[in-house]
Amino acid sequence: MKTAIVTGASRGIGRAIAERLMRDGFRVIATGRDEVLLASLNTPSIALDLRDPTSAQALIEFALLKTGRIDVVVNNAGATKRGLFLELSEGDWLDGYSLKLFGAVRVARAAWPHLKAARGSIVNIAGVGGRTPGAEFSIGGSVNAALLSFTKSLAEQGVVDGVQVNAINPGAIRTDRLRKRLAAIDEDAFVKSQLITRVGEPEEVAALVAFLVSSEGRYMHGSLIDIDGGATKTM
Ligand SMILES: NC(=O)c1ccc[n+]([C@@H]2O[C@H](COP(=O)([O-])OP(=O)(O)OC[C@H]3O[C@@H](n4cnc5c(N)ncnc54)[C@H](OP(=O)(O)O)[C@@H]3O)[C@@H](O)[C@H]2O)c1
């Protein structure tokens, strides 16, 4: 049985990815901070704050203890604060980067030898803001751009080491993050304002992850894939 680690698996997109990979026959190692939500997944889980520099190594050791191998890593955890630049603090910036960029970097570094041994895969969940920045998303946009660049770097090493590396850019996906935004604006008006087909569902991102890490998706490598209802207008 193959092992897949999913970060940010307690809720939202990460939870849908964990559930989908479990259905597809992976032994999923789930992580996030909310122990109760993690336990409700019925799979081995470890509650960690991934902003802590020691958490990535603890996560990999936990996975190895439980299953002895690592085939897939999905770096999904992220919680960058929105807001106008002058309203964002030093702490907001450090938090955003500590979790989403450095969390992914550290998990990838700790997992790499095991992924190399298993000829495994990494999927980084970035976001459309990485290609299309905006005034209210300076942390998320820049952190996602960094994650996309990191994906390309790692993919080149992955050619040498036999590790598949890709990134996915979700657009507006119906999770708690988006629900908070939609509380202030009607969904139809939001869809119209964004010039998108509709709001996406976490399961649609999970299906894309499932394809990438399946044997059919193996030739996808170093790809930065938008799944956004047409939100990204540039090439
Ligand atoms: N939803 C969208 O429209 C959208 C669009 C573009 C990109 N994305 C990206 O997709 C990813 C998932 O987004 P989502 O909407 O599913 O978010 P979400 O519902 O808020 O879930 C975020 C996940 O990250 C975990 N997390 C947050 N802070 C953490 C920390 N310090 N340490 C460890 N885990 C932490 C949360 O777990 P706990 O709460 O248990 O800590 C949760 O499982 C994020 O990287 C986000 O930037 C989302």
Side-chain angles (χ1 to χ4, degrees):
M1 205 183 222
K2 290 186 171 180
T3 296
I5 294 175
V6 182
T7 72
S10 58
R11 62 183 96 239
I13 294 171
R15 189 176 183 96
I17 294 169
E19 288 173 340
R20 172 61 193 256
L21 294 182
M22 283 160 71
R23 278 208 306 282
D24 286 2
F26 284 88
R27 182 94 188 268
V28 169
I29 303 292
T31 188
R33 287 170 305 175
D34 189 319
E35 281 178 28
V36 176
L37 283 177
L38 288 172
S40 66
L41 274 168
N42 290 320
T43 197
S45 63
I46 179 167
L48 291 168
D49 189 330
L50 271 182
R51 290 170 300 182
D52 180 337
T54 64
S55 290
Q57 190 60 40
L59 172 62
I60 299 310
E61 282 169 17
F62 177 77
L64 292 173
L65 191 73
K66 290 287 171 191
T67 72
R69 57 183 294 146
I70 299 170
D71 298 274
V72 169
V73 168
V74 183
N75 285 312
N76 164 79
T80 46
K81 192 167 170 191
R82 297 183 75 90
L84 292 172
F85 176 60
L86 291 179
E87 293 164 3
L88 296 168
S89 68
E90 176 76 5
D92 295 333
W93 279 87
L94 289 174
D95 268 359
Y97 273 75
S98 300
L99 176 60
K100 192 154 184 181
L101 181 64
F102 297 138
V105 167
R106 290 178 183 129
V107 172
R109 186 166 52 218
W112 195 264
H114 310 284
L115 290 168
K116 186 176 168 182
R119 300 191 70 75
S121 305
I122 292 182
V123 182
N124 293 322
I125 307 297
V128 287
R131 291 194 202 272
T132 312
E136 292 213 8
F137 204 49
S138 54
I139 303 178
S142 61
V143 100
N144 283 330
L147 190 55
L148 294 178
S149 173
F150 173 60
T151 300
K152 281 286 185 190
S153 304
L154 214 53
E156 202 174 316
Q157 187 62 41
V159 172
V160 178
D161 290 343
V163 180
Q164 179 196 28
V165 186
N166 291 291
I168 292 175
N169 291 319
I173 307 296
R174 198 184 310 280
T175 66
D176 291 347
R177 279 171 74 78
L178 186 72
R179 276 191 204 99
K180 273 180 215 146
R181 284 175 73 196
L182 288 181
I185 176 175
D186 168 69
E187 183 167 327
D188 288 342
F190 172 78
V191 165
K192 240 184 198 162
S193 74
Q194 301 291 305
L195 212 65
I196 54 176
T197 54
R198 61 175 168 79
V199 168
E201 304 299 332
E203 292 73 21
E204 295 179 294
V205 180
L208 182 53
V209 172
F211 169 72
L212 286 175
V213 304
S214 73
S215 55
E216 284 179 312
R218 188 68 191 195
Y219 195 52
M220 302 286 295
H221 192 95
S223 301
L224 314 176
I225 309 158
D226 302 322
I227 177 165
D228 65 359
T232 301
K233 311 299 178 194
T234 50
M235 287 172 65

